[in-house]
Amino acid sequence: MSGAAGGGGGSSCLGAAAAAAASCSSAGSPYAAAAGGSAGVAGRLPARVLEHVFSYLELSDLMRCALVCWHWNNILADENSEVWRSLCARNLSDEALRSDILCNLPTYRGKLKAFQHALSSHDCSRNVYVKKNGFTLHRNPIAQSTDGARGKIGFSEGRHAWEIWWEGPLGTVAVIGIATKRAAMQCQGYVALLGSDDQSWGWNLVDNNLLHNGEVNGNFPQCNNAPKYQIGERIRVILDMDDKTLAFERGFEFLGVAFRGLPKACLFPAVSAVYGNTEVTMVYLGKPLDG
């Protein structure tokens, strides 16, 4: 990596960082140079030097570097540092970074995590694709087909939140929710694909119905004359794998728990759509804020 040489010294620093990270990994213990949290010479390198070196590393290397010593870990703990900005610049598109897609994520590390959890271009119907921004799903105008996509990463524990919004017409069916790896992401006709079997749970935004195992589980939100979804409106999905619940928010208004008793399985964010050329964007937010 000639760009990392920095006048001849950067390359050796980069090698030292990789070597220290590798030795930590082989030691099998966080902050392997324990004693006082030092990692020898590497632990005494100035913060500005380490930040420059780290800015050339990929995420997997940075995760190992964070385990070398307290000094390195503290440097990487700054989620808006040059390290994370550089990693975002290499992995995320200019459109994603400059538009309002990621406006609710204040840190570069948060934006990078959102990209890692975005809708998958490899786990979706053949009739959809993820746009170059890395977050928006586009459905091709295919007749008599319902098409979906899962997120890249599923969850079996912890609490997680993500935002989803439509940027085109909903059509007769537009469903957001969760699905296991076994749930189908394409079927014939215009149907509520999410919730059509026991492997998925969905909220149909068109008629405000909850769906699971091929059945309607009631209206949602549970209030009189619940407002219909408006195009561009961000819906926040909250999955709690500890309490086994799925809930929704709209405009920071908590709409309630939609599903309880979720199975102990790996569950993925998912969407399904029917309207030709419509687009759906999903952004992972991380752990939801209480209150």
Side-chain angles (χ1 to χ4, degrees):
M1 184 183 294
S2 59
S11 181
S12 59
C13 285
L14 191 57
S23 65
C24 166
S25 180
S26 63
S29 172
Y31 311 113
S38 171
V41 174
R44 295 193 296 271
L45 287 173
R48 289 183 63 183
V49 173
L50 285 170
E51 192 171 285
H52 177 74
V53 173
F54 290 161
S55 67
Y56 292 102
L57 300 181
E58 294 304 320
L59 183 62
S60 58
D61 297 319
L62 291 175
M63 294 300 96
R64 288 193 289 268
C65 286
L67 300 177
V68 170
C69 63
W70 287 111
H71 182 42
W72 288 25
N73 184 272
N74 287 336
I75 291 172
L76 292 171
D78 180 359
E79 299 191 353
N80 262 325
S81 69
E82 178 63 21
V83 177
W84 298 109
R85 189 205 66 78
S86 297
L87 199 56
C88 271
R90 294 199 302 272
N91 288 276
L92 274 65
S93 68
D94 287 342
E95 178 186 349
L97 291 173
R98 294 175 181 175
S99 70
D100 66 350
I101 290 176
L102 303 176
C103 64
N104 288 329
L105 292 168
T107 70
Y108 287 116
R109 188 171 184 176
K111 298 177 196 297
L112 186 67
K113 185 178 290 186
F115 178 70
Q116 291 177 296
H117 288 79
L119 291 170
S120 173
S121 58
H122 304 293
D123 193 6
C124 59
S125 166
R126 63 181 180 275
N127 299 324
V128 301
Y129 65 87
V130 177
K131 297 178 67 175
K132 290 182 179 180
N133 66 26
F135 295 91
T136 301
L137 188 78
H138 181 98
R139 182 187 180 274
N140 291 321
I142 306 298
Q144 292 301 315
S145 178
T146 301
D147 306 287
R150 266 180 288 262
K152 297 174 185 174
I153 298 177
F155 312 107
S156 57
E157 60 183 11
R159 301 170 66 230
H160 307 271
W162 59 92
E163 290 180 327
I164 294 183
W165 64 96
W166 248 257
E167 298 179 271
L170 276 65
T172 55
V173 185
V175 188
I176 61 175
I178 53 175
T180 70
K181 203 70 171 177
R182 296 170 57 190
M185 287 293 110
Q186 192 276 330
C187 69
Q188 295 300 310
Y190 302 131
V191 301
L193 183 56
L194 289 184
S196 63
D197 57 21
D198 63 353
Q199 299 298 307
S200 58
W201 298 256
W203 174 22
N204 184 1
L205 299 176
V206 175
D207 57 17
N208 284 339
N209 282 340
L210 295 178
L211 306 159
H212 175 60
N213 205 18
E215 299 179 350
V216 174
N217 287 7
N219 294 329
F220 189 84
Q222 294 182 346
C223 61
N224 294 328
N225 300 317
K228 294 290 187 179
Y229 177 81
Q230 301 297 314
I231 294 173
E233 191 174 35
R234 297 193 182 206
I235 298 292
R236 185 165 298 188
V237 187
I238 304 169
L239 175 63
D240 190 330
M241 290 304 295
D242 298 329
D243 285 346
K244 304 295 188 294
T245 60
L246 183 70
F248 297 94
E249 290 181 359
R250 175 167 48 201
F252 298 102
E253 175 190 359
F254 184 68
L255 299 178
V257 174
F259 295 99
R260 301 181 186 274
L262 297 174
K264 188 177 181 180
C266 188
L267 302 177
F268 295 75
V271 300
S272 67
V274 300
Y275 201 90
N277 290 321
T278 199
E279 295 184 339
V280 189
T281 300
M282 187 192 90
V283 175
Y284 179 75
L285 301 174
K287 184 178 179 180
L289 298 176
D290 292 324

